Amino acid sequence: MVAGTAYASEMGDHEKGEVVFKKCKSCHEVGEGAKNRVGPQLNGVFGRTAGTVADVKYSTNMIRMGNDGLIWTEQTLDAYLENPKALVSRTRMSFRGLKDADDRANLLAYLRIYSDNPADIPEAEPTATGTDHDLDPAILALEGDPEYGEYLASECQTCHQVSGVNDGIPGISGWPSDDFVVAMHAYKRKLRPHPVMQMMAGRLSDDEIAALAAYFMDLE
Amino acid sequence: MTKSPRLRRILWTSNNEAVLWEEKEMKLNRRIFIGKGAVAAASLAAPSVFAAGHGKPRVVVVGGGAGGATAARYIAKDSKGEIAVTLIEPTRQYYTCFFSNLYLGGFKEMDELGHSYGAMAAGGVNVVHDWAVGVDRDAKIVSLAGGSSIPYDKLILSPGIDFVEGAVAGWDVSAQNAMPHAYKGGSQTELLKAQLMAMPEGGTFAMVAPPNPYRCPPGPYERVSMVAHFLKANNPTAKIIVADPKPKFSKQGLFQEGWANHYEGMVDWIGEDFGGGNVSVDPEAMTVTIDDEVTKVDVCNVIPAMKAGRIAELAGVTDGNWAPVNAADMSSKADGDVYVLGDASQQGDMPKSGFSANSQAKVCANAVRGALTGSKVFPAKFSNTCWSLIDTNDGVKVGATYEATDEKIAKVDGFISATGETAELRQATYEESEGWYAGITADMFGT
């Protein structure tokens, strides 16, 4: 095992979520053999269009929300659980809401276990929040560490060929480091379009961008 | 299959030197000087670094695909020759499974998908063209079909996938010439193309799609698109049916939009809700039975349920169908000296793809070098992007970044193409995939 590694944090603790779910048990079931009761069974709720479980008496408003395109995701479920009536007026779910964000996150992590969506297809919902690189100086190499730049750069080289050839993805070898830094920050702040680069730059700290700039400038 | 481990004893000589005696069959074999006093004691305390009879620590990599080739090349290159790397790969020419659908569609020639290991060998990797047939994790030895045994200090397994026996009723490996899987790159892909080209006018191409999890989630549906593209030009009244045990699939909205736009009426996708999970095939009669309805077909692409390449099971690192790993460095949860990459691993949120295997290989290479030579080890960062070609200049993509948690590799952010994008953006997306292919194969093979 690698010593001193900072881990990304799972979104919610499903064991604690099972305890939170006790509040829901009077109307909802989940897990093997779960049946509809007052409320629909919650297996497969992630990715489900609202108001679509067969043989459930939904309110007209819930059905209309589903028709309008409401899909239950981490975000929409979080909003609904915080205050059901705020999302779906006149919902039949007479529940005051979970004010505590941690409770909601834990509950969702618990429900997640019973959803059909495989987590390992590329478009699955995230299940963790990344390490906050700007606050992690003990782990990150300081500016100018060539080994760290080389390690980070290996991720880029799958698409940006080391030879610098442009085959549909521009070459970045030998770029002046100032230009490199400006471009990466523009992606990081989502000013410069391109969803892949915005995502890649978004998870790099200022020090990491500097390390990469130094590495790529010296290539070739 | 196991050789009896050599008996090794450390002796202290009269002038305080530690010496290793190796005994084989009760005869004293060799005498190797380790070092003096405290230095010797320290090296004895780090057995994974000390390799009896060799100066260098040894890494053995099983499997020369996106995971194994990348790991072998990076360890050899970045250790600057300090680590002896052996790569065991049966094929002399590696045909990528990724982009093989483009060959089916007529966008690529087969030789564009082939890559040799010459540059890797010239870069210092010992490339052995043989099959690994056993691993003795106590003796730390890999046995090869040709008869040799290769000792290791660290073992990296990247064996891809094998098919689960009996997963599709009526099909087994002996039927793969009549009903190809074409889900391992190379001759099976060429066979499927030949069958496609020989289809009678107005014939039927059937696909039996696999259940989750499987290698390349959008792969079967890109294949449908590429087959449709070929048929539209060469056999426009032909039909495609897909029997799918899944209720939905990767990039479904994008594919179905594309099929409606480009191949109107040609593709019939039968998902779980319509009986797509209740399937059997008859390779001699060339029929597919979906939910008790029998259909005669001209080509049948059976893609069965998958599991880790068998060597992982033989090595004792699998739990069920896949090999659980620690996300921080891809080490096996069963053995800290064994690492599992790519499709064979239980990889958490990451999809089973060539891109993922290449990404994991770099994290693994960094960790293995650190463990063997004390070089710096950096936090794991993973990413994946899957491109799919729907029609000429109509490409889509989906991807994400991942980080290690205690439990698994977890997704933290992602992106996906949208329906209704402009033709220019779709063309640019396709062109990116060409750049990626050139990049990843250079990264894997050093060409």
Side-chain angles (χ1 to χ4, degrees):
Chain A
M1 285 303 290
V2 180
T5 314
Y7 285 128
S9 34
E10 299 271 0
M11 288 173 171
D13 178 335
H14 60 88
E15 280 175 10
K16 291 187 182 157
E18 190 169 5
V19 175
V20 178
F21 188 71
K22 289 186 182 161
K23 296 194 216 277
C24 321
K25 269 185 163 170
S26 51
C27 300
H28 290 286
E29 287 185 3
V30 77
E32 200 172 320
K35 290 194 268 301
N36 297 330
R37 292 169 59 212
V38 178
Q41 54 86 12
L42 296 174
N43 291 339
V45 66
F46 278 80
R48 185 152 77 207
T49 304
T52 55
V53 178
D55 300 324
V56 171
K57 270 204 192 129
Y58 291 106
S59 63
T60 28
N61 276 14
M62 179 63 87
I63 296 175
R64 188 184 303 148
M65 289 297 262
N67 289 339
D68 282 347
L70 175 62
I71 295 181
W72 293 124
T73 64
E74 192 97 31
Q75 282 163 319
T76 52
L77 281 169
D78 186 62
Y80 187 66
L81 287 170
E82 188 177 1
N83 187 349
K85 287 181 185 350
L87 197 67
V88 183
S89 2
R90 291 202 277 217
T91 170
R92 290 186 72 228
M93 179 158 129
S94 54
F95 178 68
R96 286 252 175 79
L98 280 177
K99 295 306 163 211
D100 185 310
D102 284 337
D103 278 349
R104 295 197 302 272
N106 293 338
L107 176 60
L108 290 178
Y110 172 68
L111 289 177
R112 188 66 181 276
I113 297 171
Y114 301 101
S115 273
D116 198 19
N117 285 323
D120 65 351
I121 54 173
E123 57 261 71
E125 291 255 319
T127 61
T129 44
T131 49
D132 192 345
H133 290 271
D134 288 321
L135 300 174
D136 228 336
I139 307 285
L140 295 178
L142 296 172
E143 202 177 311
D145 183 337
E147 270 188 86
Y148 194 39
E150 186 170 15
Y151 170 71
L152 292 173
S154 69
E155 194 178 26
C156 317
Q157 280 159 359
T158 310
C159 292
H160 291 283
Q161 295 177 66
V162 170
S163 63
V165 167
N166 179 345
D167 273 328
I169 296 179
I172 57 177
S173 303
W175 265 40
S177 66
D178 287 349
D179 293 355
F180 188 98
V181 170
V182 166
M184 289 298 276
H185 278 275
Y187 282 126
K188 187 172 169 170
R189 293 162 61 201
K190 299 200 196 295
L191 298 174
R192 186 162 164 161
H194 201 289
V196 183
M197 284 312 300
Q198 287 181 355
M199 183 183 78
M200 299 306 254
R203 73 208 287 241
L204 294 170
S205 72
D206 297 351
D207 285 343
E208 288 174 319
I209 292 175
L212 282 169
Y215 175 79
F216 278 107
M217 182 173 70
D218 285 338
L219 271 193
E220 197 191 47
Chain B
M1 184 110 31
T2 56
K3 295 198 165 180
S4 57
R6 292 185 193 153
L7 194 60
R8 301 175 188 166
R9 270 201 243 126
I10 312 301
L11 304 175
W12 291 93
T13 64
S14 53
N15 48 344
N16 214 29
E17 289 167 348
V19 165
L20 181 78
W21 290 93
E22 273 194 314
E23 294 177 26
K24 194 174 164 188
E25 296 157 337
M26 295 313 290
K27 274 194 202 173
L28 287 171
N29 214 11
R30 271 187 291 171
R31 184 180 191 224
I32 301 137
F33 178 66
I34 303 179
K36 289 188 181 230
V39 172
S43 72
L44 295 177
S48 68
V49 176
F50 178 75
H54 302 264
K56 298 181 186 178
R58 298 157 304 189
V59 172
V60 173
V61 182
V62 174
T70 305
R73 194 172 89 82
Y74 270 73
I75 292 174
K77 160 175 84 76
D78 292 344
S79 72
K80 299 186 175 39
E82 291 305 305
I83 296 176
V85 181
T86 302
L87 174 67
I88 301 168
E89 164 57 46
T91 70
R92 283 164 172 66
Q93 180 87 335
Y94 183 85
Y95 287 95
T96 59
C97 217
F98 41 96
F99 261 33
S100 64
N101 286 331
L102 273 65
Y103 159 74
L104 292 175
F107 292 93
K108 292 280 170 197
E109 298 299 327
M110 200 62 190
D111 59 17
E112 293 179 74
L113 304 179
H115 305 270
S116 86
Y117 294 92
M120 202 181 306
V125 174
N126 179 17
V127 180
V128 176
H129 291 302
D130 203 337
W131 281 94
V133 294
V135 177
D136 181 335
R137 290 194 284 110
D138 294 320
K140 298 175 83 168
I141 285 176
V142 178
S143 309
L144 304 187
S148 14
S149 298
I150 313 244
Y152 65 85
D153 296 302
K154 296 288 186 189
L155 174 65
I156 299 175
L157 300 177
S158 195
I161 53 103
D162 273 317
F163 299 113
V164 173
E165 289 87 50
V168 175
W171 191 92
D172 63 35
V173 150
S174 64
Q176 70 173 38
N177 193 272
M179 293 187 166
H181 53 78
Y183 230 66
K184 297 183 183 183
S187 52
Q188 276 273 303
T189 321
E190 291 189 87
L191 171 64
L192 187 60
K193 180 71 185 273
Q195 292 182 351
L196 191 57
M197 286 168 53
M199 269 176 75
E201 193 179 326
T204 302
F205 177 102
M207 171 189 282
V208 179
N212 285 315
Y214 60 95
R215 109 190 319 187
C216 195
Y221 312 97
E222 183 189 56
R223 178 169 292 177
V224 167
S225 310
M226 291 290 94
V227 167
H229 174 86
F230 175 86
L231 291 174
K232 181 172 166 183
N234 298 284
N235 191 346
T237 53
K239 294 276 175 266
I240 299 173
I241 54 176
V242 183
D244 205 326
K246 308 187 290 297
K248 50 192 171 183
F249 56 89
S250 184
K251 292 188 193 125
Q252 182 167 358
L254 297 167
F255 280 116
Q256 289 180 324
E257 180 200 40
W259 296 343
N261 282 346
H262 301 294
Y263 314 117
E264 177 83 68
M266 191 185 267
V267 181
D268 188 9
W269 177 73
I270 303 164
E272 185 201 43
D273 298 335
F274 295 97
N278 180 11
V279 173
S280 65
V281 301
D282 184 335
E284 286 190 33
M286 284 303 286
T287 59
V288 179
T289 305
I290 302 169
D291 221 19
D292 299 324
E293 193 179 313
V294 183
T295 309
K296 178 95 176 55
V297 300
D298 301 289
V299 179
C300 188
N301 175 209
V302 173
I303 308 175
M306 295 170 207
K307 59 179 182 176
R310 180 128 161 85
I311 190 66
E313 186 189 344
L314 295 173
V317 297
T318 52
D319 180 7
N321 283 340
W322 310 102
V325 294
N326 295 305
D329 60 1
M330 303 305 292
S331 58
S332 162
K333 290 196 173 173
D335 186 331
D337 288 328
V338 179
Y339 300 74
V340 187
L341 303 177
D343 294 351
S345 68
Q346 206 153 67
Q347 73 301 346
D349 292 349
M350 283 187 99
K352 295 185 187 295
S353 72
F355 198 121
S356 291
N358 167 268
S359 172
Q360 292 160 7
K362 293 170 195 177
V363 170
C364 174
N366 182 253
V368 165
R369 278 199 305 121
L372 293 177
T373 65
S375 58
K376 275 193 207 169
V377 180
F378 298 111
K381 278 172 127 66
F382 305 97
S383 57
N384 173 71
T385 304
C386 286
W387 281 272
S388 299
L389 187 62
I390 301 179
D391 198 356
T392 314
N393 285 329
D394 187 354
V396 292
K397 66 183 183 233
V398 61
T401 54
Y402 305 84
E403 292 188 18
T405 69
D406 259 326
E407 198 190 307
K408 60 173 181 174
I409 303 178
K411 174 172 170 174
V412 298
D413 195 3
F415 61 87
I416 184 169
S417 295
T419 50
E421 281 171 346
T422 63
E424 289 78 20
L425 180 53
R426 290 292 177 90
Q427 178 171 347
T429 303
Y430 157 66
E431 286 168 357
E432 270 175 11
S433 73
E434 291 281 356
W436 161 74
Y437 187 85
I440 194 173
T441 49
D443 207 33
M444 285 162 66
F445 299 103
T447 45

